[in-house]
Amino acid sequence: MHECILLIEDEPALRTTLGDRLRAEKYVVETASDGNEGFDKASSYPFDLIIMDLMLPGRGGLDVCRDLRATGMATPIMILTVRNETVDKVVGLKLGADDYVTKPFEAAELLARVEVLLRRVPLHGGQGIYDFGSFRMDVRQSEVTRDGKPVYLTAREFQLLRYLVERSGSTIPRSELLRSVWGYTADTFTRTVDTHLFSLRKKLEENPKMPELFLTVSGVGYKFVGKDRK
Ligand code: CA
């Protein structure tokens, strides 16, 4: 299956060249030329990744990002920015963006980052919908609900959850999680895994201090033990 990317960019030349470059890599690309059109498309169709410019007419990139996250959408978002917009960068990460690429960029670098954000594991069984009783996960729609209410997960939390759920019952070493979910090869960021896992417990466990779904395997990593009731 080819991944679908939404490109929100108001500069026609960049929209065309970047769109063509992504299509050449076999991605399915949909475009929008302003923030409102981008938000409408992003909230109407399930994309695997959204690439958007920071400065957009209508609704700015940061507003679109915040508004999409407010709907519970966990699709990875990459923001295109021009040099020296560091303040916006911090704000953007807080609002739920997953990565930044500074203009002008090398296509190869952007494509490499796109790959990291899209790195996903093949779905096995069902339609990517899991029901663990306490929470429900729809991989295709990038949605997680608890007692019928949407749970807001960051894109990384969603990817981590998906990775664990799809390997339910297996112990996954931290290093594998880092490599597969974050694209890191070094072991220096293992705290990152812990931080995200604690956050998943907080959002999805009855009692985060006495986890019943996301178990720690001492000295190794983590194991998801929820039972799919579907
Ligand atoms: Ca712009």
Side-chain angles (χ1 to χ4, degrees):
M1 199 185 92
H2 297 303
E3 283 117 334
C4 301
I5 298 177
L6 174 62
L7 173 61
I8 313 174
E9 169 61 65
D10 59 310
E11 287 170 48
L14 182 56
R15 197 167 61 234
T16 304
T17 52
L18 184 53
D20 288 348
R21 192 72 182 78
L22 290 164
R23 286 185 192 99
E25 299 295 320
K26 306 286 182 233
Y27 295 118
V28 176
V29 182
E30 176 67 45
T31 60
S33 54
D34 65 57
N36 289 320
E37 186 191 2
F39 178 84
D40 289 343
K41 285 191 174 172
S43 42
S44 311
Y45 308 100
F47 290 98
D48 298 295
L49 172 69
I50 297 168
I51 301 176
M52 73 177 141
D53 188 29
L54 185 67
M55 302 295 280
L56 289 167
R59 190 167 357 178
L62 291 181
D63 291 334
V64 175
C65 188
R66 186 199 53 216
D67 295 348
L68 287 174
R69 291 298 184 231
T71 68
M73 200 202 67
T75 307
I77 296 177
M78 176 191 285
I79 288 193
L80 303 178
T81 162
V82 292
R83 216 167 284 284
N84 297 327
E85 286 176 332
T86 44
V87 174
D88 291 320
K89 190 167 173 168
V90 172
V91 173
L93 288 171
K94 275 191 188 153
L95 292 179
D98 296 279
D99 201 6
Y100 277 81
V101 171
T102 307
K103 294 181 188 177
F105 51 80
E106 294 288 332
E109 194 209 338
L110 182 126
L111 290 170
R113 303 244 210 132
V114 163
E115 250 186 73
V116 169
L117 287 177
L118 283 175
R119 185 167 294 137
R120 297 194 168 196
V121 289
L123 294 174
H124 59 65
Q127 292 298 308
I129 296 172
Y130 301 90
D131 185 353
F132 298 105
S134 50
F135 75 93
R136 197 170 177 282
M137 177 180 203
D138 183 335
V139 173
R140 294 228 181 266
Q141 298 294 324
S142 292
E143 270 175 8
V144 175
T145 52
R146 187 174 172 175
D147 303 324
K149 296 192 189 88
V151 176
Y152 167 69
L153 298 183
T154 66
R156 288 289 188 222
E157 286 167 2
F158 186 86
Q159 288 166 343
L160 175 62
L161 175 65
R162 177 177 176 180
Y163 198 86
L164 290 167
V165 160
E166 289 178 343
R167 288 157 186 77
S168 184
S170 306
T171 299
I172 318 289
R174 284 187 182 79
S175 55
E176 180 180 335
L177 291 171
L178 263 184
R179 196 174 56 240
S180 304
V181 179
W182 279 266
Y184 294 155
T185 48
D187 277 349
T188 42
F189 301 101
T190 45
R191 282 292 302 157
T192 305
V193 176
D194 298 338
T195 310
H196 283 75
L197 203 113
F198 294 155
S199 176
L200 283 182
R201 278 183 181 150
K202 225 157 108 188
K203 292 175 181 180
L204 299 172
E205 292 272 9
E206 281 307 320
N207 179 357
K209 293 205 168 96
M210 302 278 289
E212 295 178 329
L213 297 171
F214 302 91
L215 306 185
T216 301
V217 181
S218 187
V220 185
Y222 295 98
K223 173 156 72 169
F224 178 76
V225 294
K227 292 268 176 286
D228 193 357
R229 302 183 176 188
K230 224 170 27 27

